[in-house]
Amino acid sequence: MEILVKELTVLVNIFCFLVPVIPVTLKIAVVSFILALILGLIVALMKVSHFGIFKLTARVYVDVIRGIPLLVQIFFIYFGLGKILNLEQLPASILAISICYSAYLGEIIRAGIEAIPKGQVDASRSLGMNTYQTMRYIVLPQAFRIVLPPISNEFIACLKDTSLVSIIGLRELTRAGREYYSQYFVDFETWFMVGLIYLAMTVALSKVSHFIETKYKIT
Amino acid sequence: MILIDNISKYFGNTVALENVSCEIRTSEITAVIGPSGGGKTTLLRCINGLELPDSGEISVDGIVLTKKTAGIIRKEVGMVFQQFNLFPHLSVLRNVTIAQQVVKRKKTIEAEETASSLLQKVGLEDKITCYHCQLSGGQQQRVAIARALALNPKIMLFDEPTSNLDPEMTKEVLNVIRNLAKEGMTMIIASHEMGFAQEVANKILFMDNGTIVEEGTPQEIFNSPKHDRTIRFLSKIIRC
């Protein structure tokens, strides 16, 4: 009984130590992901455009970014580019994650756009809508509903991948866990609690995405 | 008036249209008949600029169709498709208002008024809040007609509007088209409904292998076809 109480106290202590950095992790994930969505949409539109040069650029971009580990990209942006551009840890982290995820999201969004039947575009054009209007009002709203499940998957992956930026010294959840560990040397409890907090966040996120999916479903 | 001057269209090695010329006058109703794959659909898609001919020229009310003028021409020419192509993410009302708002920049209230009166005209005023999945094929096609009419086009193109419908629904859609005919709308209808073509059309075009094989009044085509191919096609249809 005494052991259990002691153990619980340790866990509560760790939890209290970690709580203040949860917003940091969330901030990196959300900001990076929004930027990645914007970039990804641009990549997808370039891929489906009729201009060869856009297509080629987007393809090379996706191949290069997708082919390099995120950790290496973080190093490159923080230690490489960061020296030249004088980037702090937070902007460097957000930049690295958003670029990395834009490549994946670009491919997902492109697949969504291509899944829309050609007849929809025909109908829209026959009503006098131009390419932009057709995309904006007809194709993208339908594509959005198709890509929602894979995109929420990516967001969950993105949230977990924020742990990688702990390595350049940004004090987010994983980094704070390491700090606690090096102070009190309780390894099992620390990493158990860190894992639990990530798990709680991702479970909550999948609930939210499920809710959005049902709301926007085309029956 | 639509002037089609010697147009040809190829998809790779396949001939879709070859040296097609014809003239469609205002308030005239033209029925395009012929076997599947004969070029009916491609001809209609060319008039709307959904496909640009590889050679030859199309002009609608004096405007020559090019990639640049296609947008202007489409505001004058409405099109109804075989597959209906309603926008599934939008309600029936929104399907009919969207182009008015986006293309013609009409105010919401104004667009909705036009839409409700058009939906009333096609007999669907009670369905305005529905989505396409809640409608039968015939109802979907009637919404599609209302949607095309919303831009107040001078010419309507119907690409086999009843090919995906059962006889009962076919009738409700044909009735809507019949009413448009009475109002003097210029129309080109690609169809397999021979009885209907005979009844409403002023002119029949018989197409096969991408060319207009024969052209004439319904009496001429149905009662005394001249060309072999037309005779063969019509005899098969009448027999079954």
Side-chain angles (χ1 to χ4, degrees):
Chain A
M1 191 64 202
E2 210 172 301
I3 298 172
L4 197 67
V5 172
K6 213 171 155 190
E7 196 65 7
L8 273 175
T9 330
V10 174
L11 283 175
V12 169
N13 279 343
I14 301 171
F15 183 72
C16 294
F17 183 82
L18 294 177
V19 161
V21 290
I22 292 176
V24 181
T25 287
L26 282 175
K27 187 165 84 182
I28 303 170
V30 170
V31 175
S32 311
F33 202 72
I34 291 171
L35 289 175
L37 273 175
I38 298 168
L39 272 174
L41 181 62
I42 296 171
V43 170
L45 290 175
M46 282 170 79
K47 276 213 161 186
V48 297
S49 84
H50 296 294
F51 299 103
I53 181 79
F54 283 171
K55 270 189 172 157
L56 185 72
T57 317
R59 212 177 69 206
V60 171
Y61 176 83
V62 168
D63 285 348
V64 168
I65 302 296
R66 220 167 40 170
I68 299 171
L70 175 55
L71 187 58
V72 176
Q73 292 183 40
I74 293 169
F75 284 152
F76 178 76
I77 287 177
Y78 181 61
F79 295 116
L81 280 185
K83 285 274 159 356
I84 308 164
L85 302 173
N86 217 357
L87 282 179
E88 304 261 327
Q89 287 152 338
L90 185 67
S93 307
I94 289 174
L95 189 63
I97 297 176
S98 48
I99 287 177
C100 178
Y101 272 85
S102 70
Y104 294 99
L105 291 177
E107 282 297 278
I108 292 173
I109 297 171
R110 177 193 59 82
I113 292 173
E114 284 174 354
I116 306 302
K118 204 178 158 287
Q120 292 289 309
V121 178
D122 285 344
S124 168
R125 311 233 40 175
S126 81
L127 289 167
M129 292 196 229
N130 60 31
T131 312
Y132 165 76
Q133 292 163 337
T134 301
M135 269 292 160
R136 162 78 181 74
Y137 295 101
I138 307 302
V139 177
L140 288 181
Q142 293 184 60
F144 164 73
R145 288 159 168 84
I146 297 176
V147 300
L148 208 56
I151 281 187
S152 44
N153 245 345
E154 288 297 308
F155 186 51
I156 289 170
C158 172
L159 181 85
K160 292 185 294 176
D161 274 353
T162 56
S163 64
L164 288 172
V165 303
S166 63
I167 213 136
I168 57 169
L170 183 64
R171 198 166 178 276
E172 42 67 75
L173 195 53
T174 306
R175 181 79 184 183
R178 268 170 67 184
E179 278 173 17
Y180 190 90
Y181 167 70
S182 47
Q183 233 172 310
Y184 301 97
F185 298 104
V186 275
D187 39 15
F188 181 83
E189 289 82 355
T190 308
W191 297 118
F192 175 80
M193 188 44 81
V194 170
L196 200 65
I197 294 175
Y198 277 114
L199 182 65
M201 289 194 286
T202 52
V203 167
L205 272 175
S206 32
K207 288 266 179 273
V208 172
S209 81
H210 184 75
F211 172 76
I212 300 175
E213 267 168 51
T214 12
K215 193 176 167 201
Y216 286 102
K217 201 171 177 186
I218 305 176
T219 36
Chain B
M1 191 172 81
I2 304 174
L3 263 179
I4 296 168
D5 186 15
N6 210 20
I7 60 165
S8 298
K9 175 79 190 172
Y10 306 94
F11 296 111
N13 289 327
T14 329
V15 180
L17 291 176
E18 197 155 50
N19 305 324
V20 171
S21 297
C22 70
E23 193 186 317
I24 283 125
R25 290 191 212 89
T26 308
S27 288
E28 195 172 61
I29 297 163
T30 307
V32 187
I33 61 168
S36 300
K40 305 188 291 294
T41 298
T42 311
L43 179 66
L44 293 189
R45 289 174 65 87
C46 279
I47 296 172
N48 200 305
L50 288 176
E51 308 283 353
L52 290 175
D54 293 322
S55 65
E57 199 178 87
I58 296 178
S59 66
V60 177
D61 283 339
I63 305 168
V64 175
L65 176 76
T66 60
K67 213 172 180 176
K68 287 207 176 99
T69 58
I72 305 165
I73 287 177
R74 287 188 190 119
K75 287 176 203 167
E76 309 287 311
V77 182
M79 182 149 179
V80 174
F81 300 86
Q82 186 180 351
Q83 315 286 351
F84 325 135
N85 296 341
L86 287 189
F87 303 134
H89 61 302
L90 303 176
S91 68
V92 165
L93 184 70
R94 194 86 178 100
N95 260 280
V96 186
T97 57
I98 186 148
Q100 302 182 61
Q101 290 177 283
V102 172
V103 178
K104 294 221 159 160
R105 309 232 162 265
K106 276 201 201 169
K107 290 203 181 74
T108 314
I109 303 173
E110 212 182 321
E112 283 179 357
E113 268 170 24
T114 314
S116 347
S117 77
L118 284 171
L119 287 167
Q120 198 166 3
K121 194 167 157 181
V122 298
L124 290 172
E125 62 275 25
D126 54 333
K127 299 280 184 204
I128 54 171
T129 54
C130 291
Y131 284 79
H132 92 303
C133 49
Q134 298 158 308
L135 303 176
S136 72
Q139 290 170 332
Q140 288 187 44
Q141 192 60 297
R142 286 187 281 153
V143 175
I145 294 174
R147 178 177 71 176
L149 290 172
L151 291 181
N152 202 15
K154 296 188 183 124
I155 300 155
M156 283 285 282
L157 308 176
F158 291 89
D159 181 14
E160 301 191 25
T162 58
S163 294
N164 276 341
L165 302 175
D166 69 28
E168 204 178 5
M169 296 182 201
T170 298
K171 205 174 158 219
E172 49 187 61
V173 169
L174 292 185
N175 276 335
V176 171
I177 302 177
R178 211 172 263 129
N179 288 336
L180 284 177
K182 281 181 200 142
E183 289 168 20
M185 173 72 81
T186 311
M187 296 193 277
I188 307 178
I189 307 164
S191 182
H192 292 302
E193 300 290 332
M194 296 303 150
F196 181 70
Q198 199 162 5
E199 174 203 327
V200 300
N202 313 110
K203 187 163 86 178
I204 308 275
L205 300 180
F206 176 74
M207 286 189 79
D208 188 23
N209 284 329
T211 55
I212 296 176
V213 178
E214 199 168 340
E215 152 170 19
T217 63
Q219 287 78 18
E220 283 167 352
I221 299 284
F222 287 106
N223 301 336
S224 50
K226 289 183 192 70
H227 202 282
D228 266 1
R229 185 68 186 95
T230 322
I231 295 168
R232 254 188 299 143
F233 180 76
L234 289 174
S235 67
K236 267 182 205 153
I237 283 175
I238 289 157
R239 216 176 294 146
C240 60

